[in-house]
């Protein structure tokens, strides 16, 4: 839990937070951005290096075409405009894991600009609970190496450098300072990650550093136009911690301002164990980096033709897909949301829904019976013993009344126990069917009709939808075990007989 300086609700309400986020996403190319070294994660330190990424004198960078295409695809998914000409620049700073003494990035002419992400504000009804967060720019750059403080001999008093990561391609995505609460920042990050995952240009794995986030935060009295002085919280490794770090910073800023102090512009680190941020260094200004155009690389030209080719590979994105799926399959917005959480799940659901007799039933089964069991066993969708074809087959059996919901649950349990798909288990169990023996049902129907003469009379007087009342009673009495179709038949016969 975040431990926060005590600031009263009244004081919190007096100030408006202003938040902007910078997200680094590692692009899933096989080789680095300016050389042919592998980008594979987890290889022994300093095994994927060459004169270019080590920054040896005279080595020349050559731009990786795939990195450009991935970054442009991400930019398009974020509704950015692609600049036909963009320029690589040297960003100079000293750090032990940056052998060249500068990072090749993009500065005043980035690859893409002027995008946005729409987030849901479930608690708010303003604009239908939606808010657009502007994206200032998306640019390409190379990653730096990594300082290691553990996992090797002498780690207690030495730091080691691993340069495997040096030169791995990154897309940096900079938002406008449009967010007004830690919840909005959380919503932005969640949506951003979801969109990037759909494009397939990054695995967004935070533990492996494929997605990193820095947050800029300031507060100002509500109604004031000018921004307050901001601080930057760097390298927080989960969305939840970013939210907590922002909550902490907001209260810290307000506490200082209320006490008559002023905020120092600086970079801070969040300590998740303490739930606090700590000052790391005063924040650099852009001019400290001495940006200038990279003399070893030509301007990057992504012309209209190339842009069109990249755009052709843009998949249907999560929000559009949700809207289409609710219409196409008659499922709820909530169902569509769960079923599109990953592109793989959405693809699989749709392949099943298109062939099933009732897509809605497939949606319910996937969510309540399949995902629940997978989660309980800690399995990923790809590891599911029940394929989507199996889900379709089972949904159709319930739909036709051949098996009951309870029988389906039991069969699914067997599938997970045996690690076998539904059709195989269904066959092995001798194609079980729910009972069509009507004697018990008829007895139940007689009793219910006798116990509810008024409703029976209304039915006989022409109020045919009264059948629903009796079906409901029978289903309840049978604890959901009875076959609804059969119940209907028996009741109709009894009431009309
Ligand atoms: Zn290299």
């Amino acid at each position: 839990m975040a431990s926060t300086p005590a600031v009263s609700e009244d004081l919190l309400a007096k100030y408006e937070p202003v938040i902007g986020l910078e997200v680094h996403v590692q692009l899933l190319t096989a080789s680095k951005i300016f050389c042919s070294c592998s980008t594979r994660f987890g290889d022994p330190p300093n095994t994927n290096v060459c004169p270019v990424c080590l920054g040896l004198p005279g080595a020349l960078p050559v731009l990786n075409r795939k990195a450009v295409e991935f970054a442009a695809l991400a930019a398009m998914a974020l509704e950015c405009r692609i600049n036909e000409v963009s320029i690589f620049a040297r960003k100079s700073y000293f750090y032990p894991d940056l052998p060249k003494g500068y990072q090749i990035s993009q500065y005043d002419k980035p690859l893409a600009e002027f995008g946005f992400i729409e987030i849901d504000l479930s608690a708010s009804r303003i604009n239908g609970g939606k808010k657009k967060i502007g994206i200032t720019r998306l640019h390409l750059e190379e990653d730096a190496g990594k300082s290691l403080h553990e996992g090797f001999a002498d780690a207690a008093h030495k730091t080691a450098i691993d340069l495997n990561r040096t030169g791995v391609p990154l897309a940096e995505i900079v938002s406008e300072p449009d967010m007004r609460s830690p919840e909005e920042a959380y919503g932005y990050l969640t949506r951003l990650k979801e969109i990037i995952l759909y494009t397939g240009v990054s695995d967004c794995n935070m533990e492996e550093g494929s997605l990193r986030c820095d947050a800029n935060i300031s507060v100002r009295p509500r109604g004031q136009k000018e921004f307050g002085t901001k601080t930057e919280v760097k390298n927080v490794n989960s969305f939840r911690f970013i939210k907590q770090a922002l909550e902490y910073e907001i209260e810290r800023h307000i506490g200082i301002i209320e006490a008559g102090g002023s905020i120092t512009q600086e970079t801070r680190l969040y300590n998740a164990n303490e739930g606090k941020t700590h000052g790391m260094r005063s924040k650099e200004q852009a001019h400290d980096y001495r940006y200038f155009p990279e003399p070893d690389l030509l301007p990057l030209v992504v012309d209209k033709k190339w842009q069109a080719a990249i755009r052709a590979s843009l998949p249907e994105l999560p929000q559009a897909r949700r809207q289409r799926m609710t219409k196409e399959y008659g499922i709820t917005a909530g169902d569509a949301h769960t079923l599109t959480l990953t592109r793989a799940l959405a693809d699989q659901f749709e392949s099943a829904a298109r062939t099933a007799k009732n897509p809605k039933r497939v949606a319910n089964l996937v969510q309540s019976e399949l995902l629940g069991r997978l989660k309980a066993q800690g399995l990923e969708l790809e590891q599911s013993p029940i394929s989507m074809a199996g889900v379709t087959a089972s949904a159709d059996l319930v739909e036709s009344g051949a098996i009951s919901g309870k029988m389906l649950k039991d069969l699914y349990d067997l599938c997970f126990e045996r690690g076998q798909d539904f059709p195989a288990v269904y066959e092995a169990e001798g194609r079980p069917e729910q009972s069509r023996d009507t004697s018990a049902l008829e007895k139940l129907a007689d009793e219910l009709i006798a116990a509810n003469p008024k409703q029976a009379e209304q039915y006989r007087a022409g109020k045919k939808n009264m059948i629903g009342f009796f079906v409901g009673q029978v289903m309840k009495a049978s604890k959901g075990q009875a076959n609804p179709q059969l119940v209907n038949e028996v009741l109709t016969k009894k009431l009309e007989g």
Side-chain angles (χ1 to χ4, degrees):
M1 266 316 288
S3 113
T4 45
V7 171
S8 71
E9 291 290 323
D10 286 354
L11 270 184
L12 270 179
K14 198 174 132 189
Y15 288 88
E16 178 176 58
V18 175
I19 300 165
L21 297 171
E22 289 169 21
V23 173
H24 286 88
V25 170
Q26 185 184 322
L27 301 171
L28 269 179
T29 55
S31 58
K32 295 185 181 179
I33 185 169
F34 299 123
C35 63
S36 57
C37 292
S38 168
T39 55
R40 206 170 28 243
F41 181 84
D43 279 358
N46 302 308
T47 51
N48 297 324
V49 289
C50 73
V52 174
C53 53
L54 288 174
L56 300 187
L60 289 173
V62 178
L63 181 58
N64 181 338
R65 188 183 174 89
K66 200 78 207 165
V68 176
E69 292 179 345
F70 278 174
L73 192 66
M76 288 170 183
L78 299 170
E79 311 284 351
C80 289
R81 189 187 81 191
I82 306 292
N83 291 326
E84 237 179 286
V85 178
S86 62
I87 306 283
F88 284 99
R90 288 189 182 180
K91 180 183 185 181
S92 302
Y93 63 94
F94 173 79
Y95 214 72
D97 59 21
L98 188 73
K100 291 201 295 285
Y102 61 85
Q103 176 192 25
I104 304 178
S105 181
Q106 294 188 306
Y107 182 49
D108 51 353
K109 294 203 171 58
L111 175 67
E113 293 174 280
F114 312 119
F116 68 86
I117 281 179
E118 200 172 62
I119 60 168
D120 292 315
L121 306 170
S122 48
S124 161
R125 290 202 162 65
I126 310 161
N127 298 323
K130 305 240 185 264
K131 177 174 175 177
K132 265 186 191 175
I133 309 294
I135 290 173
T136 316
R137 55 191 275 142
L138 180 150
H139 68 251
L140 267 168
E141 64 184 28
E142 58 177 347
D143 206 347
K146 218 175 159 181
S147 297
L148 305 174
H149 307 286
E150 54 189 16
F152 61 95
D154 304 331
H157 48 274
K158 282 189 178 145
T159 292
I161 306 283
D162 177 8
L163 295 176
N164 281 351
R165 211 176 66 179
T166 313
V168 162
L170 301 177
E172 178 171 343
I173 301 156
V174 182
S175 85
E176 290 289 306
D178 283 349
M179 287 155 272
R180 294 291 173 267
S181 68
E183 290 73 26
E184 288 186 21
Y186 187 87
Y188 170 88
L189 289 169
T190 309
R191 183 54 53 83
L192 175 67
K193 180 178 170 187
E194 181 182 274
I195 293 171
I196 298 291
L197 281 175
Y198 260 65
T199 64
V201 305
S202 174
D203 60 18
C204 295
N205 184 331
M206 288 190 92
E207 283 96 64
E208 294 182 2
S210 316
L211 189 152
R212 281 167 261 161
C213 176
D214 305 333
N216 287 300
I217 168 86
S218 64
V219 301
R220 60 182 173 191
R222 283 187 196 279
Q224 179 182 303
K225 268 215 156 80
E226 300 78 42
F227 292 148
T229 304
K230 67 181 175 184
T231 53
E232 182 185 38
V233 184
K234 258 192 130 48
N235 288 331
V236 191
N237 61 9
S238 85
F239 291 173
R240 193 165 54 88
F241 288 157
I242 288 165
K243 189 164 165 269
Q244 288 175 7
L246 287 170
E247 283 162 358
Y248 178 84
E249 274 298 281
I250 289 167
E251 302 208 358
R252 194 181 67 84
H253 284 212
I254 293 174
I256 291 172
I257 295 168
E258 282 291 320
S262 58
I263 307 297
T264 312
Q265 180 160 337
E266 63 181 350
T267 298
R268 298 178 69 85
L269 289 179
Y270 181 64
N271 182 324
N273 294 328
E274 297 173 17
K276 287 180 180 168
T277 64
H278 296 281
M280 183 172 85
R281 57 166 194 254
S282 67
K283 169 79 182 144
E284 303 85 352
Q285 305 284 332
H287 60 252
D288 294 333
Y289 290 122
R290 298 277 166 156
Y291 279 101
F292 69 91
E294 165 61 60
D296 291 338
L297 287 165
L298 290 167
L300 168 59
V301 178
V302 185
D303 61 18
K304 292 281 180 264
K305 202 176 147 208
W306 194 10
Q307 287 185 34
I310 296 168
R311 195 172 288 280
S313 63
L314 193 63
E316 184 182 24
L317 294 169
Q319 259 173 319
R321 191 165 194 175
R322 270 164 209 156
Q323 281 168 8
R324 177 178 59 73
M325 278 170 50
T326 48
K327 282 198 200 109
E328 203 169 322
Y329 306 114
I331 59 178
T332 66
D335 288 347
H337 189 267
T338 309
L339 293 166
T340 51
L341 279 177
T342 67
R343 194 170 150 192
L345 175 59
D347 287 347
Q348 294 211 30
F349 164 72
E350 288 209 73
S351 74
R354 287 200 172 114
T355 51
K357 288 184 182 137
N358 182 353
K360 252 183 110 132
R361 189 176 295 282
V362 175
N364 290 340
L365 278 187
V366 169
Q367 291 181 89
S368 60
E369 305 303 335
L370 189 64
L371 295 182
R373 281 178 176 76
L374 288 173
K375 199 175 169 197
Q377 299 210 4
L379 295 175
E380 297 293 331
L381 182 64
E382 306 83 68
Q383 300 166 301
S384 172
I386 304 177
S387 68
M388 281 295 156
V391 173
T392 309
S394 65
D396 286 351
L397 285 170
V398 177
E399 195 63 26
S400 69
I403 62 171
S404 68
K406 172 76 173 64
M407 291 165 75
L408 176 128
K409 282 176 200 282
D410 293 343
L411 288 165
Y412 269 38
D413 284 341
L414 288 177
C415 291
F416 273 78
E417 265 172 49
R418 299 176 191 170
Q420 286 179 328
D421 205 349
F422 182 86
V425 170
Y426 179 62
E427 290 298 326
E429 291 301 296
R431 298 174 152 256
E433 269 187 46
Q434 65 179 330
S435 165
R436 290 195 65 90
D437 172 14
T438 58
S439 57
L441 274 182
E442 287 189 39
K443 187 166 166 270
L444 201 56
D446 284 335
E447 285 168 13
L448 278 167
I449 291 168
N452 299 284
K454 221 187 243 166
Q455 285 84 347
E457 204 169 301
Q458 283 175 344
Y459 178 89
R460 288 179 185 125
K463 209 173 164 198
K464 298 288 177 200
N465 60 7
M466 226 359 115
I467 190 93
F469 165 78
F470 287 104
V471 173
Q473 296 293 315
V474 174
M475 292 309 289
K476 204 169 141 193
S478 73
K479 297 198 172 62
Q481 296 274 22
N483 174 347
Q485 242 173 307
L486 207 56
V487 172
N488 221 303
E489 283 167 29
V490 168
L491 279 164
T492 308
K493 199 175 80 191
K494 293 278 174 197
L495 283 163
E496 301 199 340

